[in-house]
Amino acid sequence: MATITNVQLSIDNVSGQKRRKVTVKYQLRFNPREEAAGTVFDEKVVLRGDDPIFDDERAIIASTFVKAQPGVVSRSFSKMVSQNRLDEDGDTIIFGVPVLVLRDELYARVTLTPFEPRGARADSNVVTGQFGPGA
């Protein structure tokens, strides 16, 4: 199976905006069989909140495909994310004044899943009428 290494998350302020630039960088290394077969993977990068009970998904940074290739493959994805999505430990505000400001803990999760084609099906509209020989 492919390996994912050096996953780095950065969150940067963007002047005059209520959004932050979230960037995730990492490296992929595919095994020789995946390289020879040209295996395609579903690639997903998700920003998650780090909490004691369960970690919740805050934003999808990337959802794409990547094809196995020789050597180390460097990947980088950026997305603008609202402050509300990043505020995973909600602050307490009374009369517009922050009373209890909790620190937010966020991390990025990168997953690769071998792509498996699936069949597709779609139905047309229903046509009503008399279609027998007497029509």
Side-chain angles (χ1 to χ4, degrees):
M1 183 63 175
T3 57
I4 305 165
T5 58
N6 301 324
V7 181
Q8 294 293 315
L9 168 67
S10 64
I11 302 173
D12 299 309
N13 289 331
V14 178
S15 180
Q17 291 199 17
K18 292 189 176 196
R19 301 170 82 70
R20 302 288 185 252
K21 182 179 179 185
V22 176
T23 302
V24 181
K25 296 179 181 181
Y26 53 94
Q27 294 178 323
L28 303 176
R29 178 87 181 176
F30 301 97
N31 72 38
R33 288 183 181 182
E34 293 162 342
E35 292 171 10
T39 304
V40 175
F41 292 86
D42 277 318
E43 180 180 28
K44 191 170 183 181
V45 181
V46 177
L47 184 66
R48 297 175 56 89
D50 185 31
D51 291 307
I53 299 173
F54 70 95
D55 294 350
D56 59 333
E57 190 172 292
R58 306 306 296 171
I60 296 173
I61 305 304
S63 182
T64 188
F65 298 98
V66 61
K67 186 175 182 177
Q69 53 192 283
V72 175
V73 179
S74 295
R75 305 289 278 173
S76 179
F77 294 99
S78 293
K79 183 175 183 175
M80 297 298 287
V81 179
S82 72
Q83 288 175 303
N84 291 340
R85 296 300 301 161
L86 299 176
D87 186 11
E88 58 98 28
D89 279 332
D91 303 332
T92 302
I93 299 173
I94 299 175
F95 300 117
V97 177
V99 176
L100 178 61
V101 179
L102 300 173
R103 294 181 57 87
D104 301 304
E105 304 84 16
L106 300 162
Y107 67 96
R109 175 174 287 166
V110 178
T111 56
L112 291 178
T113 306
F115 176 74
E116 294 182 22
R118 296 173 189 88
R121 179 173 88 182
D123 296 331
S124 73
N125 59 306
V126 174
V127 176
T128 304
Q130 293 287 327
F131 302 112

